[in-house]
Amino acid sequence: MTQRRPLIAGNWKMNCLRADGLELVSALVAKTAEKGSLGCDVLVCPPATLLSDVVNAAQNSAVGVGGQDCHAETSGAHTGDVAAAMLADIGAGYVLVGHSERRADHDESSTVIRRKAIAAHDAGLIAVVCVGETEQERDLGATLSVVNGQVAVSVPDGATAKNTVIAYEPVWAIGTGRTASVAEVAEVHAAIRAELVERFEDGDEFRILYGGSVKPSNAAELLAVADVDGALVGGASLKVDDFWKIIETCA
Ligand code: PEP
């Protein structure tokens, strides 16, 4: 069976001023250094304003840094946007694409997200491609078709297990305190795995993260589910003790 190293990723969203962000990442760097060997990769995705500072604070540590979004184009007249190469240029290694908050707030389609993932790959970044159904889609029994459809379109043909991570995040579980049940998570992750295996030679090696109200009290049971290779954590990643407890679940 393929061994996939788990990834625990923190999405800080639009939170943290400079002092808070630096305190958070420094505490995390100190904890990872004290621990020595970790059972997972660790990633934080701060807002764009803090990326450079956080990259510097995390240098030579086990904490990776990623952006929360990138533009699909390499440069040009896109006021307010950030190109993937700009993220790579300041030392980020990853970028989230297609987070449901961006799909909703910025009307991003899976086609645009695929273009962003390609831009990330071209810049040498690992793209964390987010997918997930709304509550209405789940109630209609459309979860698997929606999620498999998002994966089919959002994940580019050039994806490999090395340059792409999938994050399954049911929209109704993000920031709500509600979590998908173990059975629901297992069903969707198995469906995504099957799709990846059918489409990519190394489909069995892609990491598939679960996201949606992951916290210390539910991390162990979620991370124990087959084909759950880590977590994308929002709220709990802003509290170093909580995020650390989730990381330690992988030890
Ligand atoms: C997220 O932002 O991707 C997320 C899963 O948030 P939360 O953990 O707060 O639900």
Side-chain angles (χ1 to χ4, degrees):
M1 208 174 110
T2 310
Q3 284 293 321
R4 296 176 293 263
R5 184 169 165 82
L7 170 65
I8 304 296
N11 174 15
W12 294 4
K13 312 194 189 200
M14 197 173 72
N15 292 298
C16 290
L17 296 181
R18 194 163 170 269
D20 312 315
L22 284 176
E23 189 181 321
L24 187 52
V25 71
S26 303
L28 199 55
V29 165
K31 280 183 181 294
T32 54
E34 196 184 322
K35 175 91 178 171
S37 128
L38 295 174
C40 60
D41 291 339
V42 176
L43 172 68
V44 294
C45 298
T49 50
L50 298 185
L51 273 170
S52 246
D53 285 327
V54 171
V55 163
N56 287 336
Q59 218 148 41
N60 302 319
S61 81
V63 179
V65 183
Q68 294 178 11
D69 180 51
C70 65
H71 199 276
E73 300 291 334
T74 51
S75 65
H78 303 289
T79 303
D81 279 312
V82 173
M86 293 170 179
L87 299 176
D89 187 44
I90 54 104
Y94 290 76
V95 64
L96 308 180
V97 293
H99 191 283
S100 64
E101 287 154 14
R102 290 206 60 88
R103 287 182 189 257
D105 294 356
H106 300 271
D107 232 357
E108 290 187 4
S109 66
S110 290
T111 303
V112 167
I113 290 154
R114 181 178 65 240
R115 293 181 55 226
K116 290 182 177 211
I118 292 169
H121 295 158
D122 289 347
L125 298 174
I126 298 172
V128 180
V129 180
C130 306
V131 295
E133 82 287 1
T134 62
E135 183 158 33
Q136 198 190 15
E137 288 163 341
R138 176 161 285 274
D139 289 347
L140 287 170
T143 297
L144 296 186
S145 64
V146 166
V147 170
N148 281 130
Q150 288 176 341
V151 170
V153 180
S154 308
V155 179
D157 288 339
T160 68
K162 287 199 165 53
N163 67 18
T164 305
V165 173
I166 311 295
Y168 167 56
E169 301 201 298
V171 177
W172 49 272
I174 296 180
T176 59
R178 293 169 60 197
T179 315
S181 70
V182 161
E184 288 166 338
V185 174
E187 182 186 36
V188 179
H189 279 241
I192 295 173
R193 176 69 63 207
E195 182 175 0
L196 294 171
V197 166
E198 192 176 305
R199 184 166 162 209
F200 298 102
E201 229 169 76
D202 60 353
D204 201 34
E205 292 168 36
F206 281 61
R207 291 182 285 190
I208 308 174
L209 314 184
Y210 170 77
S213 298
V214 176
K215 42 192 183 261
S217 58
N218 60 23
E221 70 169 1
L222 291 165
L223 290 166
V225 175
D227 284 307
V228 173
D229 308 308
L232 180 52
V233 185
S237 73
L238 295 170
K239 294 180 200 135
V240 73
D241 289 340
D242 283 359
F243 195 48
W244 185 249
K245 281 183 195 143
I246 297 169
I247 291 166
E248 286 217 297
T249 306
C250 300

